[in-house]
Amino acid sequence: MRQDFLDFFDTEFHLVVRFVMRDGASLHDAQDAAQQGFLQGWRMVREGTWEQIRHPRAWVRSVALRNHRARRRVEVPVRQLPEAVAPGTGHAELTEQARDLIAALRLLDADARAVLAFHLDDIPTHAIAAYQSISEQRARDLLKKARRTLRKHLPAPPHRSARPAGTTETGSHEGGRQP
């Protein structure tokens, strides 16, 4: 069991850090929260109760997220973030996209942000619901709400045409149908 948990730690730690950062944590705060989650898991391994956890990936994220929220630091509003220096080609655009994403994520309420973060880490809806103490329907509704908010506040990705070669676009029509 010890080696299984250590392998789990090696595989999941950086993913849990990323997960907590999606809730607005700094890298350092996210690492602290993830460490606390894994420490609690390690204690369970030593007590022989770790096997009782049905979804360890969801469980450790849930514990880390609760830890982060309990110790939440004062957040700096996005409009007060300092401008970053772009060291190379393409970096400026990526930095701008990251800032836009962080700003949009902060528009979400804590529950919607958490459900989205779980979903982005491929945690199944039933596990999200269980570890957030909500119904599966509520988890799906929060995910829809998060997607809708992000769609509204983030620029659409560049459109890639899936039309066959040799066809042309004739403009938009109601319902997307061609006459």
Side-chain angles (χ1 to χ4, degrees):
M1 178 48 53
R2 179 182 187 274
Q3 189 58 48
D4 290 343
F5 185 82
L6 293 175
D7 292 343
F8 175 70
F9 176 86
D10 288 341
T11 302
E12 293 292 320
F13 184 79
H14 71 282
L15 299 172
V16 174
V17 169
R18 181 184 68 187
F19 173 83
V20 177
M21 288 178 72
R22 288 178 179 150
D23 194 54
S26 68
L27 175 61
H28 179 74
D29 289 344
Q31 288 171 331
D32 285 349
Q35 188 67 32
Q36 288 300 314
F38 281 100
L39 179 60
Q40 192 171 333
W42 180 248
R43 287 181 183 136
M44 293 178 73
V45 168
R46 295 187 67 192
E47 294 168 359
T49 58
W50 177 251
E51 296 86 19
Q52 296 171 4
I53 304 296
R54 288 184 44 198
H55 301 283
R57 294 178 65 236
W59 180 89
V60 76
R61 283 164 174 77
S62 211
V63 171
L65 185 62
R66 277 195 308 270
N67 182 274
H68 163 67
R69 288 182 176 173
R71 300 176 48 193
R72 189 169 297 241
R73 310 281 195 261
V74 176
E75 291 186 23
V76 177
V78 174
R79 65 182 168 273
Q80 293 179 6
L81 290 175
E83 291 297 318
V85 177
T89 306
H91 182 76
E93 183 179 346
L94 291 175
T95 299
E96 184 178 330
Q97 289 173 356
R99 285 182 192 204
D100 290 346
L101 177 59
I102 289 168
L105 287 172
R106 287 188 176 155
L107 295 173
L108 300 173
D109 60 71
D111 291 336
R113 198 168 45 234
V115 169
L116 178 64
F118 274 107
H119 176 74
L120 291 173
D121 277 359
D122 295 324
I123 304 297
T125 307
H126 67 275
I128 295 170
Y131 284 99
Q132 293 296 46
S133 300
I134 58 176
S135 69
E136 284 189 56
Q137 184 60 50
R138 177 76 176 139
R140 287 189 294 271
D141 290 345
L142 286 168
L143 187 56
K144 284 183 209 173
K145 176 182 174 182
R147 287 176 174 155
R148 193 170 38 249
T149 300
L150 293 178
R151 202 174 297 122
K152 180 179 175 183
H153 293 283
L154 291 175
H159 179 67
R160 294 183 187 183
S161 178
R163 292 186 315 268
T167 62
T168 61
E169 187 173 47
T170 59
S172 72
H173 299 278
E174 187 175 317
R177 295 182 186 154
Q178 299 285 329

